[in-house]
Amino acid sequence: MTVVTQIFNAGSSAALDVDLKETTFPSTYYDLIEGSFTATWEKIGAGANVSHTFVVRPKSSGTMLSGPAVVTYRPTGDSDEIQTMLTTSINRPVLSIADKYMSLALKFGKYVTLGFLKTQADWTMFGGLGASLFLLFGVNSSILKYKCWRRERMSKSATEDLMKED
């Protein structure tokens, strides 16, 4: 999963000694594949933006809450005061392989059915109805074939009995 953090300087002066620390990807849940959880910029000009990218691999599937990254900076060159900002928190859905294929199948199936079957529940209901109809018609066909076979057998048996009496 590629994570991109963008930092925008909306102020009227440059932000100095800008540090970014991502603390929301613990090693118990993620493996760091590429990049770093920290970044530093000497200066971000007024109205400018920068971005930091890294790649992690989730160790499990589900919804992962990603807390805020911490951004610290000095507002002016002669100030020792450090300002702290937090990025927004988001929920990241992490799909298992089965969930991924289910999502793709639902996406494709929505177009095949002209939008009638959009969710897994729709497909489940359609499958149940289809299986019920298949079973109903299959059983009915079997019963009709049995009745026809039985009628032919009884007719043949009656014919044989009549031939024996002659």
Side-chain angles (χ1 to χ4, degrees), residues 65-68 87-91:
L65 176 62
S66 194
T87 62
T88 56
S89 299
I90 59 171
N91 287 329

Side-chain angles (χ1 to χ4, degrees), residues 58-120:
K59 293 182 178 180
S60 64
S61 62
T63 300
M64 305 289 187
L65 176 62
S66 194
V70 179
V71 179
T72 58
Y73 66 96
R74 286 188 308 122
T76 60
D78 58 350
S79 172
D80 286 337
E81 176 188 2
I82 294 182
Q83 298 283 325
T84 302
M85 302 296 291
L86 302 174
T87 62
T88 56
S89 299
I90 59 171
N91 287 329
R92 289 186 170 92
V94 178
L95 301 178
S96 67
I97 298 297
D99 292 337
K100 178 183 174 185
Y101 288 130
M102 178 63 74
S103 176
L104 288 173
L106 288 173
K107 189 175 188 178
F108 181 69
K110 180 173 67 172
Y111 296 111
V112 169
T113 63
L114 303 176
F116 288 109
L117 304 175
K118 299 175 189 168
T119 65
Q120 187 174 356

Side-chain angles (χ1 to χ4, degrees), residues 20 23 42 45 50 52 56 59 71 98 117 120 148 158:
L20 167 70
T23 59
E42 202 173 297
V50 293
H52 174 66
V56 294
K59 293 182 178 180
V71 179
L117 304 175
Q120 187 174 356
C148 183

